[in-house]
Amino acid sequence: MTVYYIIIGVSMLVSWWVSSRLKSKFEYYSNVHLRNGLSGKEVAEKMLRDNGINDVQVISVPGQLTDHYNPADKTVNLSEGVYMQRNAAAAAVAAHECGHAVQHAVGYSMLNLRSKLVPIVNISSNLMQFVLIAGIAIMAASRSIENPNGNTTVLAIGVAMFAVTTLFAFVTLPVEYDASNRAMKWLKDTGTVTQEEFVGVQDSLKWAARTYVVAALGSLAQLLYWGSLLLGGRRD
């Protein structure tokens, strides 16, 4: 298990560093105030209108960096620091979340795939750790002269669950990058932000995207570890 703890430790360290950089970037660009005076809420509403979307509501939610688009009730949920603020960071987040609303409206395939995976991922993420630990225990306890590898069935189920969550993490990458690209294109093409403000938008969204990359790579590393245990247990 030492290798597993090393993977977890490295993943957590990199994730912490990227998250810290993201927070510092948002704090910095929160001081770059928009010349047009639009708040995050107003930027979101303008982007939705410009894309012909009239059935999505922009609302405020508590917390920091809790912004998200909910396709179930068609709401763009902006954190308190984004909803009312009038700076480059708020514009970046608001436009990004509206990018997801645009994806939903046009039927973006990767968003549809991610939505279909959500119920399976919810079940897998809640149970897989217990199944993996049980699988290791059963494999070790069932080893014998006749069956030196032990019973790997439960471990295989756990690895399959982990594979689903890893797939979800990688499917999320194009969804997030596409939403950011839609946001930046709209902000630039419509002149909603100046060139100086656009630099802040671009840098903020770049670091936000990297959090998803780190999560996906961390999940892949853990999957490979559990997969190696499974294949090792099955080796003759």
Side-chain angles (χ1 to χ4, degrees):
M1 293 292 288
T2 302
V3 175
Y4 181 69
Y5 291 130
I6 292 174
I7 293 173
I8 292 294
V10 171
S11 297
M12 290 179 64
L13 182 61
V14 175
S15 179
W16 170 82
W17 180 73
V18 173
S19 295
S20 297
R21 290 289 292 168
L22 174 61
K23 289 180 180 179
S24 67
K25 291 289 183 180
F26 270 84
E27 288 176 4
Y28 178 81
Y29 293 117
S30 291
N31 294 316
V32 179
H33 300 288
L34 299 183
R35 293 183 185 177
N36 59 25
L38 294 178
S39 66
K41 173 180 179 290
E42 292 165 338
V43 168
E45 291 175 339
K46 186 175 186 299
M47 181 171 174
L48 292 173
R49 286 196 306 271
D50 287 354
N51 283 275
I53 300 174
N54 302 308
D55 58 348
V56 173
Q57 184 181 6
V58 181
I59 63 176
S60 177
V61 293
Q64 183 181 19
L65 297 179
T66 51
D67 314 86
H68 64 282
Y69 170 67
N70 188 339
D73 59 8
K74 291 189 174 183
T75 56
V76 170
N77 301 264
L78 301 180
S79 59
E80 296 166 341
V82 171
Y83 190 81
M84 295 302 296
Q85 294 300 313
R86 305 170 188 275
N87 51 57
V93 174
H96 173 86
E97 298 308 332
C98 287
H100 289 307
V102 175
Q103 289 174 336
H104 190 198
V106 301
Y108 180 58
S109 60
M110 296 305 288
L111 178 65
N112 292 337
L113 175 59
R114 187 175 73 167
S115 298
K116 291 177 181 177
L117 288 173
V118 168
I120 305 173
V121 170
N122 287 340
I123 296 173
S124 296
S125 60
N126 288 330
L127 297 177
M128 65 185 184
Q129 292 296 339
F130 301 105
V131 176
L132 287 169
I133 293 172
I136 292 294
I138 292 172
M139 186 175 68
S142 61
R143 283 176 177 149
S144 63
I145 295 176
E146 295 79 14
N147 184 18
N149 296 323
N151 189 329
T152 60
T153 302
V154 176
L155 180 58
I157 294 172
V159 171
M161 288 181 169
F162 210 117
V164 171
T165 63
T166 301
L167 173 63
F168 183 80
F170 276 91
V171 168
T172 295
L173 293 181
V175 174
E176 295 300 327
Y177 273 95
D178 180 78
S180 290
N181 289 337
R182 291 176 189 270
M184 289 187 290
K185 185 177 187 306
W186 175 80
L187 288 168
K188 191 172 186 179
D189 290 351
T190 60
T192 302
V193 295
T194 65
Q195 183 58 42
E196 179 187 2
E197 295 161 356
F198 182 77
V199 171
V201 168
Q202 196 172 34
D203 199 24
S204 297
L205 292 179
K206 176 183 69 177
W207 281 97
R210 285 175 178 173
T211 62
Y212 294 99
V213 174
V214 170
L217 292 177
S219 182
L220 177 61
Q222 292 181 62
L223 175 62
L224 292 175
Y225 170 80
W226 289 112
S228 69
L229 291 185
L230 175 63
L231 296 176
R234 288 181 169 175
R235 188 169 55 243
D236 293 329

